[in-house]
Amino acid sequence: MYDKVIEVKGLTKEYKELKAVDDLSFDVYEKEILGLLGPNGSGKSTTINSILSLLKYSSGTINIFGKEMKPDAYDIKRDIGVIFQEVAVFQELTVYDNIDYFCGLYISDKNRRKQYVEDAIELVSIGNYKKFYPKQLSGGLLRRLNIACGIAHKPKLIFLDEPTVAVDPQSRNNILEGIRKLRDNGATILYTTHYMEEVEQLCDRIIIIDKGKIIASGTSDSLKKLAKIEEKITVEIHRLSEEFLEKAKKLEHATDAFYDGKMLIVSYNGGKNNIANMIDFLRQNNLSYLKVYSERPSLNDVFLELTGKELRD
Amino acid sequence: MTVFKAFLKVIKKNLGTILIYTSIVIIFSAVNTQAGNQSGQFVSEKPDIMIINEDKGSAVSENFEKYLQDNANFVDIGTDENDIADALFYRDISCIVTIPKGYGKSVLEKSPMQPEISSTGSYEASLTKNMIQRYLRVQNTYMRTKITEDVLISSINEALKNDTKVVLTTKLDTNSLIKSANYFNFAAYSMMACILFIICVVLSSFNEISVRKRTIVSSMNYKKFGFNLFLASLAYAIVVWLFFIGLSFVMVGDTVLTLRGAAFVINSLIFSITALSLAFMLSTLIEEKNALSAVVNVITLGLSFLCGVFVSTNYLPDWVVALAHIFPTYWYVDTNVKIATTENLRASAMLLVTNSLILVAFAVVFVMTGIIVSGKKRKIT
Ligand SMILES: Nc1ncnc2c1ncn2[C@@H]1O[C@H](COP(=O)(O)OP(=O)(O)OP(=O)(O)O)[C@@H](O)[C@H]1O
Ligand SMILES: [Mg+2]
């Protein structure tokens, strides 16, 4: 029907002097997982809250399902699910009752709701905790409950704002798996995070934002081209003189090298035998090393290239 | 329905607290009913008084003393002035009647001295005064006719025989009315505690910023949601009120079905609505959920003590009573006391209506404040 599920044009949100979101334009296509990647304070939550009409934005237009999104656009809201950055549940209700309540805000038919709540519980695998109260749950389980509350009504469009912050690896994998399942069931997903590994694993398309502006967008592979490096070789080495660091910089295809006292990291813009050449270099110079490994560039390198700073501090 | 269901579950989670608040009123009323029964029987029959006859030997004076002894409950405190003052202060007796030296002679000389009466100003004391007035009226009537001491005494006694019973009855069944007023006053504490605590807990859960964001982005119409929340709170307040009305039948059932009983009931309904609006205002003001029960306890207990729920305002310092005027509980208690003690309910109707309007005014102020505060907070920035 509609290819573009969300259309954002010229979205700007100002807090006094600060432009939290600055002239943002992007589209989200049906059945894709779009990742909004940016460091803390880059404007991810502000963007989501504006799209949802929770925040009054300064300028811009927002269409969802081809219609203008407004605070009272209940027909649009019916097909949207939101998982906010903060956990939003009733302390006085059990896991089951929480999901049932939030699902009930959308779905009044009792039997249908019962099925939906069970499906949501299964999706995030918290079936063993149905009768638990939120304060009895670990951080990871609480996050999963938070997600179940947001998606139980089977929305076509789902917003997830950093759903994996402060979550153990097991829960994180469970959550990412659940999100993939949702997409496979036909949902469109807008996912924000400051973990680059997550967007790489999960997202079909990525938008990188910084200080409220889009600085790059595309698939993971196309973005990595922006990093202008093809390979990164890391050597664990205890002592390295200035002289050898300069030599390393001059290795074939090497574009840069630096040493932080423990690791020597050399970037390359091409070449096939870089790691072999590196080992030769170490042997020839009688340098004793612990470990050598090669990596493809990461989104962090892209971010570094574009902004001059690391994605995570 | 969803909202109602969640509301109910939150209440269920806090049932323990409700039970505690409720049992307090039951215990208080039960104790009060017991105590009330004993003192009550004396009130309707005989007031406790002390008689000091300084005119022993005079037949006229002794006849007066005997009349008092017959119609009141004579308590002998002794002659120590301190003991007597204490007895009066602690309400062991309601008044002291002193028949002065030379009283009998003065009557026979047709210029009677006045017996001295020191009293607590209580209802019992006024009964005693009525009783004395009646005796003196009869005595003074016969005194004017020229008769001997013997004839005077027998005439007085004859005349009084028919009418002493009237002296001691009043149109008001004061005792059970006071008991009812006490019950409804205690209920002020429990009703307010139950309503404030639960409504604050529930509303702060529903209005907790992240939960509210979730509600706003949902397809539930936010105005409808707010209205449902209001209806659920109102329903809860009414249920609490009905509970205490039901309990009143158990505790003070004899009065509840009278006109005055109806006045108590209406007063408590208005009060519970005022408590509901106070709860609404508080829920918008208190951010920290953990502080909630402390705040609610301080407010309900504080208001109850200041406004005469547990201790009659008669025993409170004037400045406390003056201060209490700015709290709704004061007006509620004041109404209950007026209902219990006014001789003519219809004549006092205006006073009662005025008090009720003051309660309503409090409710309006609370609701307006709540709306202004929540309006400021509603914006999610
Ligand atoms: N209510 C507010 N008033 C003023 N400034 C705000 C307000 N809310 C957010 N900001 C600012 O707007 C900017 C964007 O904030 P936002 O919460 O959108 O960032 P974010 O990308 O979601 O960060 P995080 O990863 O920490 O969640 C930040 O600089 C923040 O300080
Ligand atoms: Mg955020």
Side-chain angles (χ1 to χ4, degrees):
Chain A
M1 281 182 293
Y2 23 72
D3 219 359
K4 289 179 186 171
V5 177
I6 308 177
E7 286 178 83
V8 178
K9 283 206 191 83
L11 177 66
T12 302
K13 168 71 189 176
E14 291 167 6
Y15 289 114
K16 299 210 176 89
E17 262 114 78
L18 177 83
K19 272 191 179 169
V21 173
D22 191 358
D23 195 22
L24 223 58
S25 298
F26 64 91
D27 299 323
V28 183
Y29 298 98
E30 200 172 355
K31 294 186 185 168
E32 74 170 341
I33 303 181
L34 176 68
L36 210 54
L37 177 70
N40 287 331
S42 54
K44 303 182 297 289
S45 297
T46 308
T47 304
I48 286 198
N49 289 341
S50 301
I51 294 176
L52 290 168
S53 282
L54 262 173
L55 269 179
K56 203 169 167 301
Y57 41 92
S58 318
S59 61
T61 57
I62 288 158
N63 285 346
I64 298 182
F65 305 132
K67 283 178 271 185
E68 190 192 346
M69 180 62 181
K70 287 175 294 190
D72 61 349
Y74 296 112
D75 53 334
I76 299 178
K77 287 181 173 182
R78 197 176 310 281
D79 289 323
I80 296 179
V82 188
I83 289 99
F84 290 105
Q85 193 170 349
E86 323 82 41
V87 173
V89 293
F90 282 86
Q91 294 304 322
E92 295 91 346
L93 302 188
T94 59
V95 164
Y96 185 95
D97 288 340
N98 260 302
I99 303 173
D100 184 57
Y101 170 75
F102 289 109
C103 188
L105 293 177
Y106 298 83
I107 303 214
S108 42
D109 181 88
K110 237 179 167 173
N111 292 327
R112 194 149 67 101
R113 193 166 71 230
K114 199 168 168 202
Q115 186 55 50
Y116 279 22
V117 172
E118 291 295 348
D119 290 351
I121 287 174
E122 196 190 313
L123 184 87
V124 295
S125 350
I126 47 173
N128 292 336
Y129 306 95
K130 281 187 209 175
K131 293 232 163 76
F132 281 51
Y133 287 94
K135 66 165 175 283
Q136 299 169 301
L137 299 179
S138 70
L141 288 170
L142 199 57
R143 285 271 162 188
R144 294 199 228 167
L145 167 63
N146 195 39
I147 292 173
C149 289
I151 52 88
H153 59 289
K154 299 200 194 291
K156 293 198 189 101
L157 170 61
I158 301 169
F159 293 80
L160 293 114
D161 195 357
E162 308 209 28
T164 57
V165 168
V167 162
D168 57 284
Q170 193 199 340
S171 277
R172 174 184 295 216
N173 286 336
N174 180 288
I175 290 171
L176 297 182
E177 197 46 50
I179 293 168
R180 259 184 226 113
K181 266 190 244 163
L182 288 169
R183 193 262 316 270
D184 295 345
N185 291 341
T188 306
I189 291 164
L190 178 56
Y191 185 92
T192 86
T193 183
H194 61 267
Y195 297 124
M196 56 181 180
E197 301 87 347
E198 280 184 4
V199 283
E200 281 186 56
Q201 277 177 41
L202 187 70
C203 299
D204 304 311
R205 225 153 48 83
I206 299 161
I207 293 178
I208 303 181
I209 66 169
D210 185 42
K211 295 184 183 146
K213 284 199 173 96
I214 296 180
I215 57 170
S217 68
T219 60
S220 176
D221 286 339
S222 72
L223 282 171
K224 282 175 185 167
K225 298 222 165 73
L226 297 172
K228 292 188 183 142
I229 54 173
E230 294 266 298
E231 188 177 3
K232 243 168 57 178
I233 292 180
T234 306
V235 187
E236 275 183 39
I237 186 164
H238 282 321
R239 216 173 303 134
L240 189 74
S241 67
E242 196 66 28
E243 184 201 338
F244 288 117
L245 179 62
E246 286 310 313
K247 277 191 182 167
K249 280 183 186 165
K250 296 200 179 86
L251 287 168
E252 201 183 353
H253 299 298
T255 54
D256 199 8
F258 80 98
Y259 179 62
D260 66 359
K262 275 185 198 149
M263 309 269 202
L264 167 68
I265 300 169
V266 185
S267 312
Y268 297 84
N269 62 4
K272 286 214 168 79
N273 301 313
N274 292 334
I275 195 147
N277 292 343
M278 170 60 78
I279 292 169
D280 286 347
F281 166 74
L282 294 167
R283 285 219 184 103
Q284 280 160 20
N285 293 294
N286 245 338
L287 296 168
S288 62
Y289 59 93
L290 296 169
K291 223 190 255 174
V292 182
Y293 54 92
S294 160
E295 284 171 302
R296 299 266 294 132
S298 70
L299 289 173
N300 190 38
D301 299 310
V302 179
F303 197 78
L304 193 66
E305 174 70 28
L306 295 174
T307 66
K309 60 182 183 190
E310 300 263 336
L311 191 53
R312 281 182 293 188
D313 345 74
Chain B
M1 221 41 228
T2 311
V3 174
F4 274 84
K5 238 174 77 186
F7 199 103
L8 216 64
K9 283 180 184 148
V10 178
I11 292 177
K12 220 173 91 191
K13 197 92 211 304
N14 288 286
L15 214 55
T17 318
I18 297 184
L19 283 178
I20 291 173
Y21 288 137
T22 316
S23 48
I24 287 176
V25 78
I26 297 176
I27 293 165
F28 261 72
S29 307
V31 169
N32 181 256
T33 315
Q34 291 298 313
N37 270 342
Q38 286 165 3
S39 68
Q41 272 146 12
F42 289 109
V43 173
S44 56
E45 286 164 20
K46 293 178 175 182
D48 293 326
I49 66 167
M50 172 170 181
I51 307 163
I52 303 173
N53 189 354
E54 293 174 345
D55 198 34
K56 288 257 192 266
S58 152
V60 173
S61 295
E62 273 168 11
N63 189 59
F64 182 33
E65 186 183 350
K66 183 169 177 301
Y67 164 82
L68 290 173
Q69 279 180 0
D70 287 349
N71 291 294
N73 204 36
F74 179 66
V75 181
D76 194 1
I77 310 286
T79 51
D80 186 87
E81 268 183 37
N82 274 335
D83 290 350
I84 294 171
D86 280 355
L88 207 53
F89 181 79
Y90 292 115
R91 302 296 192 270
D92 291 339
I93 51 176
S94 63
C95 68
I96 303 163
V97 184
T98 310
I99 304 171
K101 182 129 197 80
Y103 177 80
K105 192 158 161 263
S106 73
V107 172
L108 291 174
E109 285 166 357
K110 296 189 182 129
S111 58
M113 299 168 87
Q114 281 296 317
E116 266 173 47
I117 303 167
S118 342
S119 80
T120 55
S122 69
Y123 176 72
E124 286 187 36
S126 68
L127 280 185
T128 316
K129 282 182 192 165
N130 278 345
M131 198 166 77
I132 294 171
Q133 289 304 323
R134 215 159 272 258
Y135 181 90
L136 295 181
R137 214 177 306 133
V138 174
Q139 171 200 276
N140 294 351
T141 311
Y142 286 102
M143 175 187 80
R144 279 180 243 289
T145 57
K146 248 195 175 150
I147 44 175
T148 60
E149 193 174 28
D150 286 352
V151 178
L152 174 64
I153 290 169
S154 60
S155 308
I156 293 172
N157 291 349
E158 193 59 32
L160 285 171
K161 207 187 273 172
N162 303 321
D163 135 314
T164 35
K165 289 207 180 69
V166 186
V167 177
L168 292 169
T169 50
T170 157
K171 279 177 286 170
L172 281 184
D173 183 2
T174 316
N175 181 48
S176 59
L177 278 174
I178 296 280
K179 258 188 339 199
S180 308
N182 284 342
Y183 168 79
F184 281 98
N185 285 347
F186 295 152
Y189 168 76
S190 298
M191 281 202 302
M192 191 174 239
C194 287
I195 291 175
L196 285 195
F197 183 72
I198 289 299
I199 300 286
C200 283
V201 165
V202 173
L203 291 189
S204 67
S205 288
F206 275 94
N207 288 328
E208 202 259 313
I209 179 101
S210 53
V211 171
R212 196 170 67 213
K213 268 160 81 177
R214 214 169 227 168
T215 316
I216 296 173
V217 299
S218 82
S219 61
M220 163 83 86
N221 184 317
Y222 199 66
K223 284 197 182 112
K224 192 177 139 203
F225 167 79
F227 186 65
N228 279 345
L229 208 50
F230 163 74
L231 281 187
S233 311
L234 183 67
Y236 170 73
I238 300 278
V239 167
V240 169
W241 171 72
L242 282 175
F243 173 81
F244 284 102
I245 296 308
L247 190 61
S248 76
F249 281 94
V250 179
M251 300 305 235
V252 290
D254 44 345
T255 11
V256 182
L257 288 173
T258 64
L259 188 60
R260 282 169 202 265
F264 283 130
V265 169
I266 293 169
N267 189 31
S268 63
L269 176 61
I270 298 172
F271 181 73
S272 55
I273 300 298
T274 309
L276 176 62
S277 37
L278 176 60
F280 169 63
M281 183 182 85
L282 285 178
S283 75
T284 64
L285 289 175
I286 305 172
E287 302 258 293
E288 187 51 48
K289 216 170 158 185
N290 298 324
L292 215 64
S293 88
V295 172
V296 165
N297 278 329
V298 167
I299 290 181
T300 41
L301 274 176
L303 290 193
S304 298
F305 277 113
L306 286 179
C307 302
V309 164
F310 298 125
V311 183
S312 160
T313 47
N314 290 335
Y315 302 105
L316 294 174
D318 289 345
W319 66 268
V320 171
V321 178
L323 177 69
H325 281 67
I326 63 168
F327 303 119
T329 312
Y330 172 84
W331 299 96
Y332 169 73
V333 170
D334 187 58
T335 307
N336 283 340
V337 173
K338 285 198 166 95
I339 294 170
T341 54
T342 182
E343 278 288 333
N344 187 336
L345 191 65
R346 278 168 216 279
S348 308
M350 265 326 285
L351 280 177
L352 302 182
V353 170
T354 310
N355 275 10
S356 304
L357 288 179
I358 291 171
L359 277 185
V360 172
F362 271 109
V364 171
V365 171
F366 292 150
V367 170
M368 298 302 271
T369 314
I371 288 175
I372 291 168
V373 175
S374 69
K376 282 215 173 106
K377 281 192 185 166
R378 176 137 50 233
K379 295 186 198 91
I380 291 162
T381 53

